[in-house]
Amino acid sequence: MTSRVIPVPSFVLVVFGATGDLARRKLLPAMFQRDIAGQLAEAAIIGVSRGDLSQADFLGQARQAITDHVPAADVTAAALEKFLGRISYVQADADTDSGWPALAAALAPYRDRVNVFYLATAPNFFGMICERLGRFDLAHENARVVVEKPIGKDLASARALNEEIGQVFPEERVYRIDHYLGKEAVQNLMALRFANGLFEPLWNAAHIDHVQITVAESLGVEGRAGYYDKAGALRDMVQNHMLQLLCLVAMEPPAKLDADAVRDEKLKVLRSLKPLDSDALCALHTVRGQYRAGASAGGAVRGYLEELGEPASTTETFVALKAEIANWRWAGVPFFLRTGKRLPERVSEIVILFRPIPHSVFEPEAGPIEPNRLVIRLQPDEGVKLWLMSKDPGPGGMRLRPVPLDMSFATAFRVRNPDAYERLVLDVVRGNQTLFMRRDEVEAAWTWIDPILKIWAEAKDPPRGYTAGTWGPSAAIALIERDGRTWVESGA
Ligand code: BG6
């Protein structure tokens, strides 16, 4: 089966930070894939960075990025040459006017097209780049700006950043990327909830006991320790990706799938989260951890502090928490979230645990009756499993056991799963903001995160250690078990 290719309008994509990691690993490969899918009729890409590179140097880097990050089977010489033919390079500074007249000149022929300015730079450059885009008359009505997280490090800095961007671009032309929203399986969550009549009547506190959301990584902080040590798992993963997942599970059905209808509903969820704003609440509802030396991803690995070379760091590489949503649908249904680096495997899963049956008609010999469980696997091996109790086959009386209805997307659809960035960049070109975070959403998420950050920063005790390759500190198990529940093993 092939996926449907919907043409997009002519555009020019300007990537600031074009020699950086995001451009090489994600943006150029994503554009290449869309090019070979036949979606980029009239498209040009301009790489911008402060590096003194010739056109040929930059094309060499772009070629390398495609070779390194696109499966060889997808890359033919002709396709690669065609793609490179779309690319040019302009040297410009973010923090001075150097190079900007040249950028303006390079963009002059494309003024009537959609102009996408992708800021793949550190966030401290966002404000200055936007200011210059305005001053050099590049933020015209065909122009859109795309920013990556982190959008701030707390509520105040997020507001300041949004303010700076907002001085130049109106909100309907600002695209805040959360790449989790571009993942196929995450979008499928909306299909599952809103294209099936089966679940909605059960999707509430009367039928759901609790929800677990796990985003586990086996890798450590790799080459990003400088950024990561200032962020930590709560800012890096929970404030954005995990709260977005929670919103998609918990939101009311929007009236339609348009950007504001969806984002209004997500915002209501964020605003209904019960604040964790006292020492006692944080102690009871949150756990932070930091990995120590151990074994992960098939070998011995160093601890976070050794990797960082900074023995006093109290940055968390693991978070588990219990969130509660104070509204009619979800009152009394805890959402347990956990995420961390150097866990036993890379897996992201949402598990919806239904309430037990009210009364058993079976004899005790039938065995325990497990409540139904819906497991939505986001990565890897995207799919959905609904665990049902069934009769063990054969004579010998009624014995029961849980069996899954198991749908694997790979088997059901047999298409390549596009990377989130392929979808997201082209959504910017189409002017579709549904999968991007609105300013008030980002700020509402920070409003909930801020008190936790503050209480952790003032706490005397450092994060709890956990051995690399395990599921985090034992306190994370205690957190959920205090509630009489237990973490569901991945894949189960
Ligand atoms: C990024 C975080 O946003 O998401 C990283 O900054 C993390 O620390 C990454 O590794 C995880 O993304 P994915 O798509 O690999 O699950």
Side-chain angles (χ1 to χ4, degrees):
M1 196 193 292
T2 51
S3 47
R4 205 152 52 100
V5 173
I6 303 168
V8 293
S10 311
F11 70 95
V12 55
L13 169 67
V14 181
V15 182
F16 287 88
T19 55
D21 205 47
L22 181 67
R24 273 186 291 117
R25 283 192 312 113
K26 294 291 182 183
L27 301 179
L28 290 171
M31 287 299 96
F32 178 77
Q33 289 286 8
R34 291 296 88 209
D35 197 9
I36 56 178
Q39 209 163 14
L40 309 190
E42 277 197 298
I45 300 173
I46 301 181
V48 181
S49 87
R50 62 173 68 236
D52 181 11
L53 302 179
S54 68
Q55 175 78 9
D57 292 338
F58 185 67
L59 288 184
Q61 289 194 6
R63 182 187 298 276
Q64 193 63 46
I66 303 304
T67 320
D68 289 348
H69 300 292
V70 177
D74 295 346
V75 186
T76 63
L80 185 53
E81 291 318 310
K82 177 173 170 229
F83 181 67
L84 294 176
R86 299 181 181 281
I87 302 181
S88 54
Y89 179 73
V90 173
Q91 181 186 3
D93 282 356
D95 49 357
T96 76
D97 286 354
S98 164
W100 282 78
L103 179 60
L107 282 168
Y110 302 125
R111 208 170 167 90
D112 293 340
R113 292 189 184 183
V114 172
N115 285 207
V116 177
F117 293 101
Y118 200 117
L119 312 193
T121 65
N124 52 314
F125 294 119
F126 292 173
M128 6 187 159
I129 295 176
C130 286
E131 186 272 326
R132 288 192 169 76
L133 288 172
R135 191 147 49 76
F136 283 85
D137 189 27
L138 300 174
H140 48 79
E141 59 183 12
N142 290 334
R144 290 149 201 191
V145 68
V146 186
V147 291
E148 276 277 336
K149 67 169 252 285
I151 314 257
K153 58 180 173 51
D154 54 17
L155 178 59
S157 55
R159 278 194 178 137
L161 201 55
N162 282 330
E163 206 52 52
E164 283 183 295
I165 298 169
Q167 306 255 317
V168 181
F169 289 95
E171 182 62 26
E172 60 278 10
R173 292 198 272 118
V174 180
Y175 291 76
R176 295 178 193 81
I177 283 212
D178 183 313
H179 79 278
Y180 266 60
L181 295 183
K183 289 182 190 273
E184 281 290 320
V186 175
Q187 290 169 54
N188 203 46
L189 195 54
M190 284 200 268
L192 186 80
R193 282 198 60 196
F194 306 132
N196 295 289
L198 191 62
F199 297 112
E200 186 51 28
L202 305 178
W203 212 256
N204 55 47
H207 301 284
I208 293 179
D209 177 76
H210 75 284
V211 175
Q212 299 185 13
I213 304 180
T214 297
V215 176
E217 297 182 88
S218 54
L219 293 176
V221 291
E222 311 308 304
R224 299 165 72 228
Y227 150 75
Y228 193 87
D229 197 52
K230 290 200 202 74
L234 190 67
R235 290 187 178 95
D236 186 50
M237 297 296 289
V238 180
Q239 189 272 342
N240 35 75
H241 308 323
M242 304 221 37
L243 286 184
Q244 286 292 322
L245 295 178
L246 176 143
C247 285
L248 292 177
V249 172
M251 71 186 190
E252 294 300 313
K256 50 187 170 174
L257 208 61
D258 84 12
D260 278 331
V262 171
R263 299 186 300 176
D264 287 347
E265 296 307 335
K266 288 196 291 170
L267 181 65
K268 287 184 207 159
V269 174
L270 292 167
R271 288 190 174 155
S272 309
L273 286 170
K274 279 196 195 169
L276 298 178
D277 55 0
S278 71
D279 292 358
L281 281 171
C282 268
L284 217 54
H285 290 238
T286 72
V287 171
R288 57 189 174 134
Q290 193 185 63
Y291 61 81
R292 306 278 181 256
S296 178
V301 294
R302 292 185 298 166
Y304 177 72
L305 297 179
E306 292 86 67
E307 260 181 63
L308 189 69
E310 173 50 79
S313 170
T314 56
T315 299
E316 78 285 355
T317 60
F318 174 95
V319 177
L321 55 83
K322 172 180 164 183
E324 289 172 289
I325 301 170
N327 65 18
W328 273 47
R329 187 187 282 262
W330 295 115
V333 179
F335 283 66
F336 294 97
L337 273 46
R338 63 176 169 169
T339 183
K341 305 264 182 208
R342 289 282 186 235
L343 299 186
E345 57 181 317
R346 176 174 185 256
V347 60
S348 300
E349 261 180 11
I350 298 172
V351 187
I352 314 287
L353 293 106
F354 290 90
R355 291 197 182 281
I357 51 165
H359 163 74
S360 174
V361 301
F362 301 97
E363 298 297 332
E365 295 71 47
I369 300 183
E370 290 188 15
N372 300 122
R373 191 161 79 233
L374 178 68
V375 181
I376 303 158
R377 175 99 163 185
L378 305 177
Q379 63 187 24
D381 312 325
E382 294 85 341
V384 176
K385 263 188 205 172
L386 177 61
W387 288 85
L388 303 171
M389 291 306 295
S390 299
K391 180 188 171 300
D392 228 355
M398 181 67 94
R399 285 183 317 276
L400 301 168
R401 72 181 158 105
V403 182
L405 273 179
D406 194 352
M407 181 179 82
S408 142
F409 294 165
T411 330
F413 296 106
R414 297 187 189 285
V415 285
R416 183 185 70 89
N417 224 346
D419 187 75
Y421 284 89
E422 295 180 39
R423 168 69 190 255
L424 293 174
V425 177
L426 293 198
D427 273 0
V428 180
V429 176
R430 292 188 193 96
N432 181 356
Q433 287 184 308
T434 311
L435 299 178
F436 297 83
M437 292 179 296
R438 208 168 52 192
R439 174 178 181 162
D440 47 9
E441 262 183 277
V442 173
E443 294 180 6
W446 278 120
T447 302
W448 190 71
I449 293 287
D450 254 15
I452 309 176
L453 284 172
K454 186 160 164 282
I455 289 164
W456 281 2
E458 287 165 1
K460 303 273 177 302
D461 51 331
R464 294 159 195 269
Y466 62 96
T467 306
T470 65
W471 283 104
S474 54
I477 298 171
L479 172 107
I480 192 166
E481 292 193 345
R482 268 200 301 276
D483 257 50
R485 281 107 176 182
T486 133
W487 293 109
V488 174
E489 273 177 43
S490 83

